[in-house]
Amino acid sequence: MKSKFKKVGIALFLVLIAIQFYQPALNHNSEQDYTDDFLVTTNAPNNISKLIQASCYDCHSNNSKYLWYDYIQPARMFVETHITNGKKELNFNEFGSYSNRKQQSKLEAISKQIISSEMPLSSYTILHRDAVLNETQKQEIITWFNSIKENSLSKN
C-alpha cells in the first residue's frame, strides 16, 4: 500500500514539475496605445483612477501586473483564464472604441457587479487586498459612473 502511494506521489510531483514548462503568453503590451483607455477617455479623477486600476485592470486590460506566484503552474493557467475571460467581457484599454450604447451598457453592468460585490472576484481579492472595495469606495465609483452616464446622455 505504501509503495502505491509513493508511486502516485512521485508521479504527481513529476507532473507538477513538467507543467512548469508550459507558460502562456503574458498579458502585457508595452506598446499599448492608451487613447481609447477608459481612464483617459472619461478623464477619471485620480482617486477613482487608483481604485479602478487596483480593482479591475489586472483582469480587464492589456497590461496585467503579475506577482511571483502568478508564474507557478497550475496557478498561472488559472490566472490566465480569468484574464482572458475578463477581457472578453470588458477591456478598459479599449473602452473608448466601444459604441456609446455599449459604453453605457458596460457602465451599468459594472455598477451592478460592484454593488452586488460580484466584482472584483473574491478569488482575486484574497491575494490582492488592495483590490477590495469598501462601501464608501463602491459608492464613489458608482456616483462617478452615474455622472459619466448623465454627461454622455446630455451630449447626445
Side-chain angles (χ1 to χ4, degrees):
M1 190 73 154
K2 278 187 178 181
S3 76
K4 190 174 188 176
F5 283 126
K6 187 175 181 179
K7 287 179 183 177
V8 169
I10 290 171
L12 288 173
F13 178 74
L14 292 174
V15 167
L16 186 63
I17 296 298
I19 66 171
Q20 298 311 309
F21 293 101
Y22 172 67
Q23 293 291 321
L26 294 174
N27 182 46
H28 184 74
N29 183 355
S30 59
E31 297 175 19
Q32 174 74 42
D33 176 11
Y34 290 97
T35 55
D36 285 331
D37 186 81
F38 176 74
L39 300 174
V40 172
T41 59
T42 60
N43 198 25
N46 198 36
N47 63 325
I48 298 295
S49 189
K50 286 179 182 179
L51 291 173
I52 292 173
Q53 284 178 322
S55 298
C56 311
Y57 266 57
D58 274 349
C59 295
H60 294 280
S61 79
N62 296 329
N63 290 295
S64 300
K65 292 181 185 125
Y66 293 93
L67 301 175
W68 67 269
Y69 48 80
D70 291 328
Y71 294 94
I72 301 171
Q73 296 292 12
R76 175 68 178 275
M77 289 184 277
F78 180 73
V79 167
E80 290 303 327
T81 300
H82 274 265
I83 292 169
T84 300
N85 292 340
K87 284 174 51 175
K88 278 182 192 172
E89 201 59 41
L90 169 67
N91 188 335
F92 280 112
N93 293 145
E94 298 171 3
F95 190 83
S97 67
Y98 295 168
S99 69
N100 187 47
R101 184 176 176 182
K102 185 173 182 178
Q103 288 179 3
Q104 298 301 319
S105 172
K106 291 298 179 186
L107 287 173
E108 198 63 43
I110 296 167
S111 296
K112 287 178 183 174
Q113 290 178 330
I114 289 173
I115 290 168
S116 66
S117 298
E118 291 176 56
M119 287 289 165
L121 294 174
S122 58
S123 60
Y124 180 76
T125 58
I126 288 171
L127 298 172
H128 300 85
R129 300 309 299 163
D130 61 328
V132 176
L133 297 170
N134 63 38
E135 292 305 315
T136 304
Q137 293 168 326
K138 288 179 184 181
Q139 198 52 54
E140 278 181 72
I141 293 171
I142 302 306
T143 301
W144 182 69
F145 281 0
N146 288 338
S147 73
I148 294 173
K149 289 188 282 188
E150 289 171 12
N151 288 337
S152 177
L153 290 175
S154 65
K155 290 179 184 177
N156 293 333

